Amino acid sequence: MSNLVQIRRTPVYALGFIASLAIGIAAACTAFAVVKRAFIDPLPYPESDRLLTIRTVTDGRASLGSSFQFGEALKGAAVFGDIAADWGATVTYEAPGRSERVSGGAVTPNYFDVLGIRPALGTTLTAGAQDEVVVSWAFFERALSGDPAALGKPIALDGIMRRDVGAMPNHFVAPYLTEARLWIPLDTARFMPESARGSRGVILQTRLADGASLADAKTYLDVFAAQ
């Protein structure tokens, strides 16, 4: 099967999905790279060559989105590390006398750990907490005046008060959701009912486990699909 190559251009990056490992109707593992202008640079994440996106292939057509339940079923596989999920979310930020729509992402608490990125200030999302938000450095400087004292204080997003627990480094760009300026907890409960099993609403990110290769991941997924 030939490699699948897709390019999605953005103002900063074009994300190229290289060496897609399609396995029938179940999934594909994709190692990705960043094409910047005419040069190929590594992704701005530690050990980016081991960072994977698990994609779903149905009727021969690959989609970027995948099933949250599929990611849950893959947890514990020896070839993968932890598996994170993210989903695009645009929210309304409300400040005294003004409001604005802000592009963001709804993510599982392990999202930044899987990418290998730590916040410049504060912490990332806490497992089990639903009232937190992590912001980009640009949002932190523009909307919160770059004041470290703003960390831990609530901000209004879609009418919900969320504590700003951290600010990501200025260089951080989220894969796929390149315009995201803040990240809130993913409501995983909406993806767990049996009726949501066929949903392709989330992007699954993982890393190859120590000692595992892309070939190992493909072999595992081939067997998983057959079952």
Side-chain angles (χ1 to χ4, degrees), residues 91-214:
V91 299
T92 298
Y93 166 61
E94 303 164 19
R98 65 186 178 90
S99 64
E100 63 176 289
R101 297 290 284 169
V102 181
S103 294
V107 302
T108 49
N110 61 349
Y111 176 73
F112 298 104
D113 290 335
V114 169
L115 293 180
I117 302 294
R118 301 303 304 160
L121 292 173
T123 65
T124 54
L125 300 174
T126 306
Q130 294 298 313
D131 64 342
E132 296 179 343
V133 60
V134 172
V135 301
S136 70
W137 192 261
F139 184 90
F140 178 65
E141 288 194 320
R142 178 177 57 81
L144 305 177
S145 302
D147 183 4
L151 294 183
K153 295 183 178 180
I155 61 176
L157 300 174
D158 285 343
I160 299 173
M161 302 306 294
R162 296 182 180 275
R163 291 185 303 112
D164 178 13
V165 296
M168 298 307 292
N170 190 41
H171 63 78
F172 175 69
V173 177
Y176 309 108
L177 304 178
T178 56
E179 299 300 317
R181 296 295 177 263
L182 52 82
W183 298 268
I184 61 177
L186 180 69
D187 181 9
T188 58
R190 65 178 295 177
F191 298 104
M192 291 309 294
E194 186 64 27
S195 59
R197 182 173 295 275
S199 170
R200 300 291 182 262
V202 300
I203 301 173
L204 300 176
Q205 314 276 11
T206 189
R207 286 181 177 273
L208 289 172
D210 292 341
S213 66
L214 279 173

Side-chain angles (χ1 to χ4, degrees), residues 1-6 17-23 28-30 55 57 60 62 218:
M1 179 175 293
S2 61
N3 289 344
L4 172 65
V5 179
Q6 295 172 269
F17 309 113
I18 312 299
S20 181
L21 307 178
I23 58 166
C29 263
T30 307
R55 306 177 64 196
V57 180
K218 181 184 185 303

Side-chain angles (χ1 to χ4, degrees), residues 21 23 79-80 213-226:
L21 307 178
I23 58 166
V79 295
F80 299 129
S213 66
L214 279 173
D216 295 331
K218 181 184 185 303
T219 298
Y220 177 87
L221 290 174
D222 282 340
V223 174
F224 189 95

Side-chain angles (χ1 to χ4, degrees), residues 2-126:
S2 61
N3 289 344
L4 172 65
V5 179
Q6 295 172 269
I7 298 294
R8 173 183 168 210
R9 299 204 174 277
T10 72
V12 179
Y13 298 111
L15 297 177
F17 309 113
I18 312 299
S20 181
L21 307 178
I23 58 166
I25 64 171
C29 263
T30 307
F32 40 79
V34 172
V35 180
K36 187 177 180 182
R37 298 190 181 185
F39 303 95
I40 298 179
D41 298 332
L43 276 169
Y45 315 116
E47 296 186 282
S48 58
D49 59 326
R50 303 188 67 78
L51 185 61
L52 306 176
T53 296
I54 299 174
R55 306 177 64 196
T56 299
V57 180
T58 304
D59 296 329
R61 300 178 63 181
S63 63
L64 179 57
S66 192
S67 164
F68 180 79
Q69 292 189 23
F70 182 68
E72 290 294 288
L74 288 176
K75 286 186 176 180
V79 295
F80 299 129
D82 206 1
I83 297 176
D86 64 280
W87 181 59
T90 300
V91 299
T92 298
Y93 166 61
E94 303 164 19
R98 65 186 178 90
S99 64
E100 63 176 289
R101 297 290 284 169
V102 181
S103 294
V107 302
T108 49
N110 61 349
Y111 176 73
F112 298 104
D113 290 335
V114 169
L115 293 180
I117 302 294
R118 301 303 304 160
L121 292 173
T123 65
T124 54
L125 300 174
T126 306

